[in-house]
Amino acid sequence: MFNKIANTLSIASFILVVTSLGSAFFGYKYVQSPQFQKKIMDKVLKEIQPLMGDVLGNAMPNVTGSSIPKILPKKEIKF
């Protein structure tokens, strides 16, 4: 009698472990998929966009200079 109960519990335990591992594997694959990442990024950007407002609208100048200042050559003074 005890043998039947132990076998039934071991089979149930095995099924539980296999389904847990399978769902964890497929869940990990789903989270790593590009479709899921795009979906999450779209949701995040949709939530952040109203908070940003018009941050750079008036801050950008119309004309900018060079990114690195030019170094002028040294002039030699002759006597």
Side-chain angles (χ1 to χ4, degrees), residues 6 9 19 31 45 53 55 65 67-68:
L9 289 176
T19 55
V31 168
L45 290 177
V55 175
S67 59
I68 299 175

Side-chain angles (χ1 to χ4, degrees), residues 17-58:
V17 168
V18 168
T19 55
S20 296
L21 289 175
S23 63
F25 174 74
F26 286 114
Y28 175 77
K29 287 301 220 179
Y30 176 70
V31 168
Q32 294 298 321
S33 70
Q35 294 88 5
F36 178 77
Q37 291 176 356
K38 182 174 176 12
K39 181 195 278 186
I40 294 298
M41 186 61 74
D42 289 342
K43 285 184 180 180
V44 168
L45 290 177
K46 197 177 288 184
E47 292 290 326
I48 290 177
Q49 197 170 18
L51 299 174
M52 292 288 289
D54 194 18
V55 175
L56 296 177
N58 299 325

Side-chain angles (χ1 to χ4, degrees), residues 68-74:
I68 299 175
K70 296 178 183 176
I71 299 174
L72 299 175
K74 292 183 180 179

Side-chain angles (χ1 to χ4, degrees), residues 2-18:
F2 177 73
N3 195 14
K4 289 182 181 182
I5 295 172
N7 286 338
T8 305
L9 289 176
S10 67
I11 291 171
S13 175
F14 176 75
I15 291 172
L16 180 67
V17 168
V18 168

